[in-house]
């Protein structure tokens, strides 16, 4: 009988972690449903092909799908880079397409939920799993100590 902890034992999620994951998923699924319905059915973009609309507005949302399904905190973290595009899109349309205000507000709401949820889910889940990104200050101190030791 070994006294070492099991390496593959799943780590339970705290309620706050689950709440932020729900926010992230609501925002993500909301955008994943909203964007094709809005851009292909409700208000098709004139002068753009369906392939262009898919590649620019839908495909980026599919990139983190596998990692989100597999519940990887790192995927939640980098998905925030993708959601920034939807903030920019939404805020731009607030200015230039006020006739689509309801859809723009939905996009901004889902993007906000996804951003907040992904940010804090990645943080809390990473802490629960013992993952951490080393601070640059710590790395520089170690490099300096190693360099001084070599002299």
């Amino acid at each position: 009988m070994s006294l070492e902890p099991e390496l593959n034992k799943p780590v339970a999620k705290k309620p706050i972690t689950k709440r932020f994951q729900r926010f992230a998923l609501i925002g993500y699924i909301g955008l994943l449903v909203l964007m094709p319905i809005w851009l292909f059915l409700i208000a098709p973009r004139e002068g753009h092909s369906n392939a262009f609309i898919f590649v620019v507005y839908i495909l980026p949302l599919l990139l983190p799908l596998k990692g989100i399904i597999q519940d990887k905190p790192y995927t939640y973290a980098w998905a925030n880079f993708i959601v920034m595009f939807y903030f920019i899109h939404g805020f731009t349309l607030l200015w230039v397409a006020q006739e689509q205000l309801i859809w723009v507000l939905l996009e901004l709401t889902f993007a906000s939920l996804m951003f907040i949820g992904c940010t804090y889910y990645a943080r809390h889940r990473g802490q629960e799993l013992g993952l951490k990104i080393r601070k640059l200050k710590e790395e520089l101190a170690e490099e300096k100590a190693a360099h001084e030791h070599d002299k």
Side-chain angles (χ1 to χ4, degrees):
M1 181 176 203
S2 173
L3 296 177
E4 293 181 25
E6 290 183 42
L7 295 177
N8 294 330
K9 184 178 179 184
V11 178
K13 292 179 187 173
K14 294 177 183 175
I16 192 161
T17 306
K18 290 179 183 178
R19 182 177 314 127
F20 285 121
Q21 185 179 28
R22 256 191 315 275
F23 286 175
L25 292 175
I26 289 168
Y28 178 70
I29 294 168
L31 283 173
L32 206 52
V33 170
L34 172 69
M35 297 311 286
I37 290 173
W38 178 20
L39 299 173
F40 289 128
L41 301 176
I42 295 170
R45 302 291 189 253
E46 293 180 22
H48 297 299
S49 70
N50 286 342
F52 175 81
I53 298 294
F54 177 79
V55 168
V56 172
Y57 295 101
I58 314 304
L59 186 61
L61 285 171
L62 297 176
L63 296 175
L65 182 61
K66 181 182 177 196
I68 287 175
I69 290 171
Q70 293 174 342
D71 196 23
K72 295 183 182 275
Y74 185 74
T75 302
Y76 282 83
W78 66 256
N80 277 335
F81 292 110
I82 293 171
V83 82
M84 287 296 115
F85 169 75
Y86 297 92
F87 278 119
I88 293 168
H89 180 254
F91 283 122
T92 302
L93 288 182
L94 271 178
W95 185 261
V96 299
Q98 294 177 352
E99 69 281 358
Q100 297 181 28
L101 184 62
I102 187 72
W103 308 112
V104 172
L105 292 176
L106 277 171
E107 178 182 26
L108 289 171
T109 300
F110 289 139
S112 298
L113 277 170
M114 183 177 169
F115 182 80
I116 292 166
C118 284
T119 299
Y120 289 103
Y121 176 74
R123 178 181 181 192
H124 288 281
R125 189 63 182 155
Q127 289 171 349
E128 291 170 356
L129 295 173
L131 307 173
K132 65 180 185 179
I133 298 173
R134 295 177 48 148
K135 294 182 180 175
L136 181 59
K137 183 179 175 182
E138 294 171 3
E139 291 211 15
L140 290 175
E142 281 184 19
E143 284 182 23
K144 183 179 179 182
H147 180 68
E148 288 175 357
H149 183 271
D150 291 340
K151 283 185 177 180

